[in-house]
Amino acid sequence: MMSQSDHRYRTVFISDVHLGTKGCQAELLLDFIRTAEFDTLYLVGDIIDGWKLRNGWYWPQAHNDVVQKILRLARKGVKVIYVPGNHDEAARDFIGHRFGDVLVARDAIHETADGRRFLVTHGDEFDGVLRHARWLAFVGDWSYRSLLSMNTVFNRFRRRMGFGYWSLSAYLKLKVKNAVQFIENYEEAVVEEARRRGVDGVICGHIHKAEIRRFDDILYINDGDWVESCTAVAERDDGELVLLDWSRTRLAPRRTSRPLVLEPESRFAA
């Protein structure tokens, strides 16, 4: 069995859950937030997919359970900060307000236990497509959801064959040259904003690519998503930041039940 200390964190950051879509891995997210213990939770945008819900209602019980569980955590004393993204941008009309003990903020500055300061932002404002060709972003979103539907069928077949979860959509996305260049441009833009703000690093989402990477004086951290990769960023009690891969922790056959750490921050120390 897993010991509670294996999942004890000071802070957890999750983004790009996309509740309201068939691609959302709500059951795995529920499993994560029921298992982990943390003092602060940052919801780093695209938690609810308003784009999809405007075109058709999809809201199974597991999606409702995620919302209820987060609100329950807030009532029990967990500090919850909600930084909306582009898919849940309607929540930006309520910046500065609290809903069920959840604070809505445009962005935030998080200070780790070891005294470093990180900009927390969804990151869509640094997406050139969204800024200059919003219609193209909607077309891309439709194509992406179609690819995720293929991904769901593909992984259903893998489970029947006894294999763990693997994201076909993430694999294809990183094999496309233009997508790779888009990601690089995005990362550089977010890092430059962190540098302008005078912080030590940035924690963001938006592009569904979990990563810890150092850009000279700035530590770039993307917490991934709960559609393709099921990843989160966690701050340990000593201030170290790590990426957790929950789909592989819970679904893949493992000799140990400890959470699978994708990338410890210490790998990227200056």
Side-chain angles (χ1 to χ4, degrees):
M1 292 181 61
M2 297 183 187
S3 68
Q4 288 186 340
S5 60
D6 288 341
H7 299 288
R8 162 65 201 168
Y9 306 108
R10 182 173 184 260
T11 313
V12 164
F13 304 79
I14 61 174
S15 75
D16 298 275
V17 178
H18 291 276
L19 294 169
T21 68
K22 293 182 179 180
C24 170
Q25 303 288 332
E27 291 83 2
L28 276 172
L29 178 56
L30 271 173
D31 183 61
F32 173 69
I33 59 180
R34 284 170 175 165
T35 303
E37 295 181 12
F38 41 85
D39 302 322
T40 302
L41 172 65
Y42 283 91
L43 305 171
V44 195
D46 286 3
I47 305 303
I48 297 174
D49 196 320
W51 290 12
K52 175 62 175 64
L53 291 175
R54 282 198 297 266
N55 296 320
W57 190 257
Y58 177 80
W59 196 265
Q61 184 61 44
H63 293 210
N64 196 61
D65 291 343
V66 168
V67 174
Q68 292 301 319
K69 178 62 176 175
I70 291 172
L71 292 174
R72 195 174 302 119
L73 287 172
R75 288 198 300 271
K76 290 182 176 180
V78 174
K79 183 179 179 181
V80 181
I81 301 99
Y82 178 22
V83 177
N86 51 301
H87 283 260
D88 49 10
E89 60 189 350
R92 287 173 172 162
D93 293 338
F94 303 98
I95 286 171
H97 292 77
R98 290 184 178 271
F99 293 91
D101 299 312
V102 175
L103 174 65
V104 183
R106 177 164 294 280
D107 54 36
I109 301 296
H110 174 73
E111 185 170 337
T112 58
D114 54 8
R116 292 173 300 161
R117 298 167 68 247
F118 284 80
L119 170 65
V120 181
T121 178
H122 179 66
D124 58 291
E125 60 266 49
F126 307 102
D127 181 339
V129 174
L130 278 172
R131 290 203 315 268
H132 305 299
R134 189 173 175 83
W135 66 271
L136 188 57
F138 282 99
V139 172
D141 179 63
W142 176 86
S143 301
Y144 179 62
R145 283 190 281 106
S146 299
L147 186 58
L148 287 176
S149 296
M150 293 172 53
N151 194 66
T152 301
V153 174
F154 176 75
N155 274 286
R156 189 178 299 132
F157 177 75
R158 281 179 61 88
R159 284 194 296 271
R160 289 175 181 173
M161 297 295 291
F163 297 105
Y165 179 85
W166 183 71
S167 179
L168 172 65
S169 52
Y171 174 79
L172 293 176
K173 182 170 64 178
L174 292 179
K175 289 297 181 181
V176 178
K177 182 178 180 180
N178 288 343
V180 173
Q181 186 60 53
F182 165 79
I183 290 171
E184 290 177 354
N185 292 344
Y186 170 83
E187 291 172 343
E188 290 170 0
V190 174
V191 164
E192 187 55 38
E193 177 63 14
R195 190 172 288 122
R196 188 186 71 81
R197 297 269 196 116
V199 295
D200 299 292
V202 59
I203 300 172
C204 60
H206 187 56
I207 60 173
H208 295 209
K209 184 177 183 292
E211 186 174 20
I212 296 178
R213 182 180 175 191
R214 181 164 288 282
F215 288 76
D216 297 325
D217 56 327
I218 300 294
L219 189 64
Y220 167 88
I221 302 178
N222 193 300
D223 52 31
D225 66 276
W226 289 84
V227 177
E228 298 175 57
S229 59
C230 299
T231 54
V233 168
E235 179 196 357
R236 291 173 171 157
D237 286 333
D238 62 359
E240 183 184 29
L241 293 159
V242 296
L243 280 172
L244 305 177
D245 184 336
W246 199 249
S247 66
R248 292 173 63 186
T249 297
R250 296 304 248 181
L251 296 183
R254 296 184 55 77
R255 295 180 181 177
T256 174
S257 59
R258 292 180 63 82
L260 180 62
V261 176
L262 275 180
E263 293 174 340
E265 179 198 356
S266 54
R267 279 186 53 199
F268 303 89

